[in-house]
Amino acid sequence: MSEVIVTSQKNLQNDVRYGAGQTLITDEPIAAGGDDAGPDPYSLVLAALGSCISMTVMLYARRKEWPLERVEVRLRTQRVHAKDCAECTRSTEGFVHRIQRTVTFEGNLSEEQRARLQEIAHKCPVHRMLTSEIVISEMSER
């Protein structure tokens, strides 16, 4: 698996290094005390999920030789009380994070192909990671 290194910069900005020397800046919006110089952490999580959905669907359609031209994934997140969450099964106390999404496809696809691509969209690795138990532990020093 890949490694990401995050280093704080000025104010709330962070330099994020990944891959073979790629970087990006993360930040918070001005209203939250940042400078709005880059995406906030929640936007990055949504971007990771949306990118994974798009890539997974495109790869599947390519393998099937279906005429999928473009995928658009719209996502938003909100925090809701667990007691108000009808689909929540693990948490009944406190808050849960709900991610809402819409996936649309462009291309000369049949209704059956579109339905199958919607199913595949739920199977991307990041979706599976976010819906499974996650353990965050300390890394050993190099």
Side-chain angles (χ1 to χ4, degrees), residues 12-80:
L12 297 176
Q13 292 179 30
N14 290 284
D15 177 67
V16 180
R17 291 180 290 149
Y18 61 97
Q22 292 98 333
T23 64
L24 65 97
I25 299 294
T26 61
D27 200 1
E28 286 288 343
I30 292 170
D35 298 317
D36 206 18
D40 65 274
Y42 286 106
S43 295
L44 287 173
V45 170
L46 294 181
L49 177 59
S51 296
C52 184
I53 290 168
S54 176
M55 292 172 187
T56 300
V57 167
M58 288 296 285
L59 286 168
Y60 183 87
R62 187 179 297 162
R63 193 174 75 239
K64 293 287 191 176
E65 297 182 356
W66 290 352
L68 176 62
E69 296 170 11
R70 183 174 156 159
V71 178
E72 181 178 274
V73 184
R74 296 186 62 181
L75 301 130
R76 67 176 160 229
T77 185
Q78 66 182 136
R79 197 172 80 147
V80 297

Side-chain angles (χ1 to χ4, degrees), residues 125-141:
V126 173
H127 179 113
R128 289 180 180 201
M129 180 181 83
L130 292 172
T131 57
S132 67
E133 182 176 355
I134 297 174
V135 175
I136 301 173
S137 62
E138 294 298 318
M139 267 196 296
S140 303
E141 292 297 318

Side-chain angles (χ1 to χ4, degrees), residues 95-113:
F95 290 96
V96 296
H97 292 272
R98 171 184 281 143
I99 296 174
Q100 296 174 305
R101 65 171 214 162
T102 302
V103 184
T104 56
F105 310 112
E106 290 181 18
N108 189 20
L109 300 162
S110 69
E111 287 307 310
E112 293 80 20
Q113 289 170 327

